[in-house]
C-alpha cells in the first residue's frame, strides 16, 4: 500500500465517522470511533483513544440504564491497519439470556462514556435466538472433517465469524469466500474472542472479520463459496449483497492505484532532489548557480502541479 492511498483511506474513514457520529464532545473528544454493525448476530465497530495509544477501550452495550454486554477494542482488521488506526476493532455477540424483559433500543458506551446521541433501534427479548443473516446452517464443517467454521454475521460491508481446527488448537485457519476463481473476502482466523474462551473453545483466537474486495465483484449480488485452508467447505453458497456505487468507486480506485503510486514516488524523489540541490548550492553561495537551480526547481514544481491538476480533474469528474 503506497503512502498516498493510505492517507486517502485514512481520511475517508475519518470523514465517514464524523458524518455518522458528529464531532466528539467531552469526555469522548480524545476518541475516534465508528459503529459498523448493530444486530442480534453481532455488534461491531472500532474505537481508539488518541491521547493514550496503548490504552484498549472498553465498549459496552446498555438499555434502560442496564449494562447488557461488553467487549474490548483490540482486534485486528485489515481496513483499520491500512488506515493507520491499528488493532482497535471490537465484536460483541449479544446473549439475550441476560435480558430481564423485551428491549427496543440500545446505547453504546466507550470507556463508560455514551457514544451515541440517539438510541439505536434494537428489538430483542429474553432467550431470543438471533436470525441468521442467510438461510444456511450457522456451522459449516470442512469436507475433510478436520475443522469447524461459524458465520456470525454477513453485512453489505463484511463477513464476521470464527473457524478452528478440530485436532490442533494452535493452528490458525485461512478462510476464503470465492466466486469461481475470484476471491471476494479472505484472511486468517486468528482474532481473539472472549466468547469463544467462555465457551471452552481453545485459546479463543479463532475469530475473523473480513471486508469485501469490491473490485472482484461483477455485480451487486454475488454467490460465494466458503474455503477453509484452500478446501471447499461445501453446503449452500453465501450471497453477498453490496452497493453498486461502492463497487464502482472501488474499481475506479484500483484502476488508478498504480498511477497514484508512481506519482507519489516521483513527487517525493523530485522534491528530495530539489532540496538536496538547493542545500548544496547554498553552501557555495554562487548567485548565478543558485538562480539556475531555482529556475529548474520552479519548472519541475510546475510540472508536478500540472499533474496534480489532471488527477484532480479526473477525481472530480468521477466522484461528482
Amino acid at each position: 500500500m503506497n503512502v498516498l492511498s493510505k492517507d486517502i483511506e485514512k481520511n475517508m474513514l475519518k470523514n465517514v465517522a464524523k458524518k455518522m457520529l458528529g464531532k466528539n464532545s467531552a469526555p469522548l473528544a480524545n476518541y475516534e470511533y465508528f459503529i459498523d454493525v448493530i444486530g442480534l448476530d453481532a455488534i461491531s465497530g472500532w474505537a481508539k483513544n488518541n491521547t493514550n495509544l496503548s490504552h484498549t477501550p472498553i465498549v459496552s452495550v446498555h438499555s434502560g440504564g442496564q449494562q447488557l454486554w461488553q467487549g474490548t477494542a483490540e482486534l485486528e482488521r485489515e481496513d483499520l491497519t491500512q488506515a493507520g488506526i491499528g488493532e482497535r476493532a471490537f465484536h460483541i455477540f449479544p446473549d439475550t439470556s441476560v435480558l430481564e424483559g423485551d428491549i427496543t433500543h440500545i446505547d453504546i458506551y466507550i470507556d463508560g462514556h455514551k457514544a451515541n446521541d440517539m438510541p439505536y433501534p434494537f428489538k430483542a427479548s429474553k432467550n431470543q435466538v438471533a436470525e441468521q443473516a442467510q438461510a444456511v446452517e450457522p456451522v459449516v464443517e470442512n469436507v475433510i472433517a478436520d475443522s469447524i467454521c461459524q458465520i456470525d454475521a454477513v453485512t453489505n460491508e463484511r463477513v464476521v465469524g470464527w473457524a478452528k481446527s478440530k485436532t490442533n488448537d494452535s493452528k490458525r485457519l485461512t478462510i476464503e469466500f470465492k466466486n469461481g476463481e475470484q476471491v471476494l473476502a479472505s484472511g486468517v482466523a486468528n482474532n481473539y474472542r472472549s466468547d469463544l474462551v467462555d465457551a471452552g473453545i481453545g485459546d479463543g483466537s479463532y475469530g475473523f472479520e473480513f471486508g469485501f474486495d469490491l473490485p472482484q465483484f461483477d455485480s451487486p449480488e454475488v454467490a460465494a463459496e466458503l474455503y477453509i485452508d484452500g478446501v471447499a467447505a461445501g453446503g449452500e453458497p453465501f450471497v453477498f449483497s453490496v452497493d453498486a456505487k461502492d463497487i464502482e468507486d472501488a474499481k475506479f480506485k484500483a484502476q488508478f492505484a498504480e498511477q497514484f503510486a508512481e506519482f507519489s514516488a516521483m513527487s517525493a524523489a523530485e522534491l528530495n532532489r530539489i532540496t538536496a540541490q538547493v542545500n548544496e548550492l547554498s553552501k557555495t553561495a554562487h548567485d548565478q548557480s543558485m538562480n539556475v537551480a531555482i529556475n529548474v526547481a520552479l519548472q519541475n514544481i510546475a510540472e508536478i502541479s500540472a499533474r496534480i491538476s489532471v488527477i484532480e480533474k479526473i477525481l472530480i469528474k468521477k466522484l461528482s
Side-chain angles (χ1 to χ4, degrees):
M1 178 66 66
N2 63 78
V3 175
L4 180 60
S5 59
K6 183 184 290 185
D7 289 341
I8 292 174
E9 286 277 4
K10 187 173 182 179
N11 290 334
M12 287 176 63
L13 197 55
K14 287 182 178 178
N15 289 338
V16 170
K18 289 178 181 177
K19 288 180 181 178
M20 289 293 293
L21 297 171
K23 184 177 180 181
N24 296 342
S25 58
L28 286 178
N30 296 321
Y31 287 78
E32 289 181 85
Y33 54 90
F34 189 77
I35 312 301
D36 295 301
V37 177
I38 291 184
L40 283 171
D41 295 297
I43 298 171
S44 65
W46 60 271
K48 174 186 177 184
N49 186 324
N50 287 324
T51 60
N52 186 356
L53 299 181
S54 63
H55 173 68
T56 300
I58 297 175
V59 182
S60 55
V61 181
H62 298 242
S63 182
Q66 177 189 8
Q67 178 177 310
L68 303 176
W69 310 294
Q70 179 177 291
T72 53
E74 59 183 351
L75 303 179
E76 181 180 3
R77 219 171 77 184
E78 183 179 358
D79 58 330
L80 299 183
T81 300
Q82 291 178 354
I85 294 173
E87 299 178 358
R88 288 292 176 259
F90 65 84
H91 303 305
I92 298 172
F93 300 94
D95 175 10
T96 57
S97 66
V98 305
L99 299 179
E100 297 178 353
D102 295 348
I103 62 172
T104 57
H105 295 82
I106 59 172
D107 294 306
I108 306 295
Y109 284 72
I110 300 174
D111 286 340
H113 308 301
K114 189 176 178 182
N116 53 288
D117 293 328
M118 299 295 293
Y120 293 104
F122 189 95
K123 293 184 178 181
S125 57
K126 188 176 180 65
N127 296 319
Q128 179 176 356
V129 178
E131 296 181 1
Q132 292 300 314
Q134 310 212 26
V136 296
E137 291 296 323
V139 176
V140 181
E141 294 192 4
N142 193 324
V143 292
I144 59 175
D146 185 44
S147 59
I148 187 169
C149 177
Q150 176 161 316
I151 309 303
D152 295 312
V154 178
T155 74
N156 62 352
E157 294 182 339
R158 62 189 70 256
V159 56
V160 180
W162 62 272
K164 177 186 178 297
S165 167
K166 290 182 177 179
T167 58
N168 186 349
D169 285 355
S170 63
K171 184 178 181 181
R172 310 304 168 193
L173 302 176
T174 298
I175 305 300
E176 296 176 299
F177 293 89
K178 301 173 66 174
N179 177 265
E181 295 302 314
Q182 294 175 306
V183 179
L184 306 179
S186 65
V188 178
N190 60 1
N191 288 343
Y192 175 79
R193 281 178 42 172
S194 59
D195 62 318
L196 298 182
V197 174
D198 293 341
I201 301 175
D203 59 18
S205 295
Y206 311 110
F208 62 81
E209 179 178 356
F210 306 143
F212 297 136
D213 187 3
L214 292 178
Q216 300 299 320
F217 280 65
D218 292 327
S219 65
E221 190 170 279
V222 179
E225 292 187 62
L226 170 65
Y227 283 73
I228 305 174
D229 275 355
V231 179
E236 291 294 321
F238 294 87
V239 177
F240 292 161
S241 297
V242 299
D243 189 274
K245 183 65 164 54
D246 290 340
I247 297 176
E248 182 182 357
D249 290 345
K251 288 187 175 182
F252 172 78
K253 181 180 176 182
Q255 178 184 355
F256 288 95
E258 185 175 349
Q259 289 92 323
F260 285 153
E262 286 182 8
F263 177 73
S264 179
M266 183 274 292
S267 299
E270 183 60 22
L271 290 174
N272 287 336
R273 188 194 68 78
I274 292 171
T275 301
Q277 186 176 20
V278 170
N279 288 339
E280 182 63 27
L281 288 174
S282 296
K283 295 177 183 178
T284 60
H286 293 308
D287 292 342
Q288 186 174 0
S289 297
M290 178 65 77
N291 288 334
V292 171
I294 290 175
N295 286 332
V296 172
L298 290 174
Q299 291 175 4
N300 291 332
I301 291 172
E303 180 182 348
I304 293 174
S305 298
R307 295 190 65 175
I308 290 176
S309 177
V310 171
I311 291 176
E312 286 179 340
K313 289 178 180 177
I314 293 174
L315 291 174
I316 291 172
K317 182 178 180 180
K318 174 64 182 178
L319 301 177
S320 61

